[in-house]
């Protein structure tokens, strides 16, 4: 992925808003619009001003995070600016004029997955954790994010559970088995063809259904 993306990662309208960037142009953005070269002090949260053509857009706290030891595995920049809508919009417009593009929904986590920073189960858990409203769902999502689901699967000798439509022949499933760490669907539906193929694994697949 060659482009650099940006997006607010917190609600707009509060005291502080966090804008996150990811991609190869982060270091160039630091040097172009920030009053301090944060690439010399990576991982440190520093006071800076965001400037464009001599105008100060905001006073911020910012951190430059070089890859690959970041959430996405890419270079990242986090800007903690004042949370007013006008301030955030001015900052986002400035980033757009720098040649960056707005991130698509879930793109930061998708990049993390594509760069090997998390497996599919953990990537799904991130969204579940964000959307959770009950304490039980929060705990379940956090456990999944920490790898509980994959550990249970591997400990019980099942590398993946594959969801298929009724009457799907077993031969259609076989090519996907080498990718099973990327397939995390929890049920086998009635009518599955090739019963002899599933005979030995069906008990463990039923166990997997009970864990979820």
């Amino acid at each position: 992925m060659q482009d650099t993306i940006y997006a607010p990662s917190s609600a707009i309208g509060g005291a502080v808003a966090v804008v996150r960037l990811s991609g190869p142009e982060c270091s160039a953005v630091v040097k172009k619009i920030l009053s301090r070269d944060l690439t010399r002090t990576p991982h440190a949260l520093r006071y800076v001003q965001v400037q464009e053509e001599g105008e100060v857009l905001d006073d911020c706290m910012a951190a430059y995070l070089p890859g690959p030891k970041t959430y996405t595995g890419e270079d990242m920049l986090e800007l903690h600016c004042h949370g007013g809508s006008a301030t955030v919009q001015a900052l986002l417009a400035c980033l757009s004029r720098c040649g960056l593009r707005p991130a698509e929904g879930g793109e930061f986590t998708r990049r993390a997955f594509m760069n090997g920073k998390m497996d599919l189960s953990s990537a799904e858990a991130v969204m579940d954790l964000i959307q959770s409203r009950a304490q039980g769902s929060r705990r379940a999502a956090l456990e999944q994010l920490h790898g509980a689901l994959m550990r249970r699967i591997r400990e019980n000798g099942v590398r993946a559970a594959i969801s298929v439509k009724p009457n799907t022949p077993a031969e259609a499933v076989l090519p996907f088995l080498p990718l099973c760490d990327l397939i995390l669907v929890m049920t086998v539906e009635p009518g599955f063809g090739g019963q002899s193929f599933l005979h030995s694994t069906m008990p463990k697949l039923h166990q997997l259904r009970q864990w979820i």
Side-chain angles (χ1 to χ4, degrees), residues 30 64 82 113 145 185:
V30 167
Y64 172 70
H82 291 94
F113 170 67
L145 181 60
V185 190

Side-chain angles (χ1 to χ4, degrees), residues 174-193:
L174 289 173
F176 295 97
L177 293 183
L179 302 177
C180 56
D181 283 342
L182 308 182
I183 302 172
L184 290 173
V185 190
M186 308 312 166
T187 61
V188 173
E189 301 175 14
F192 184 85

Side-chain angles (χ1 to χ4, degrees), residues 32-36 47-61 81-82 86-91 94 97:
K32 183 174 183 179
I33 68 171
L34 300 187
S35 59
R36 175 181 294 182
Y47 167 79
V48 296
Q49 289 184 328
V50 180
Q51 303 171 340
E52 185 179 32
E53 296 182 351
E55 178 186 0
V56 176
L57 301 182
D58 194 25
D59 298 338
C60 298
M61 300 296 291
C81 61
H82 291 94
T87 299
V88 176
Q89 293 303 323
L91 179 55
C94 174
R97 289 189 290 269

Side-chain angles (χ1 to χ4, degrees), residues 25-103:
E25 295 300 316
C26 284
S27 59
V29 170
V30 167
K31 296 173 182 178
K32 183 174 183 179
I33 68 171
L34 300 187
S35 59
R36 175 181 294 182
D37 185 0
L38 300 182
T39 63
R40 298 180 179 179
T41 56
H43 305 289
L45 193 64
R46 302 287 190 182
Y47 167 79
V48 296
Q49 289 184 328
V50 180
Q51 303 171 340
E52 185 179 32
E53 296 182 351
E55 178 186 0
V56 176
L57 301 182
D58 194 25
D59 298 338
C60 298
M61 300 296 291
Y64 172 70
L65 310 170
K69 294 183 178 181
T70 62
Y71 179 78
T72 61
E74 304 172 334
D75 291 352
M76 297 188 69
L77 176 65
E78 288 196 356
L79 302 171
H80 299 237
C81 61
H82 291 94
S85 176
T87 299
V88 176
Q89 293 303 323
L91 179 55
L92 298 180
C94 174
L95 296 175
S96 178
R97 289 189 290 269
C98 289
L100 315 186
R101 71 167 175 84

Side-chain angles (χ1 to χ4, degrees), residues 5 7 20-22 71-72 76 103 106-112:
I5 57 174
R20 178 184 290 180
L21 291 72
S22 181
Y71 179 78
T72 61
M76 297 188 69
E107 187 169 0
F108 285 89
T109 299
R110 184 166 72 248
R111 290 191 176 203

Side-chain angles (χ1 to χ4, degrees), residues 89-189:
Q89 293 303 323
L91 179 55
L92 298 180
C94 174
L95 296 175
S96 178
R97 289 189 290 269
C98 289
L100 315 186
R101 71 167 175 84
E104 300 173 359
E107 187 169 0
F108 285 89
T109 299
R110 184 166 72 248
R111 290 191 176 203
F113 170 67
M114 296 300 294
N115 290 327
K117 304 301 290 186
M118 61 177 67
D119 59 27
L120 185 59
S121 174
S122 297
E124 292 175 340
V126 171
M127 182 58 67
D128 292 341
L129 188 59
I130 292 172
Q131 295 179 341
S132 63
R133 295 187 178 183
Q135 292 300 317
S137 59
R138 176 191 64 80
R139 294 188 188 97
L142 195 59
E143 286 184 2
Q144 184 173 334
L145 181 60
H146 292 165
L149 176 58
M150 289 303 298
R151 284 195 299 273
R152 289 173 180 172
I153 291 174
R154 289 172 176 143
E155 287 169 0
N156 284 268
V158 181
R159 290 190 63 196
I162 302 173
S163 176
V164 294
K165 295 180 179 179
N167 301 316
T168 300
E171 291 76 11
V173 177
L174 289 173
F176 295 97
L177 293 183
L179 302 177
C180 56
D181 283 342
L182 308 182
I183 302 172
L184 290 173
V185 190
M186 308 312 166
T187 61
V188 173
E189 301 175 14

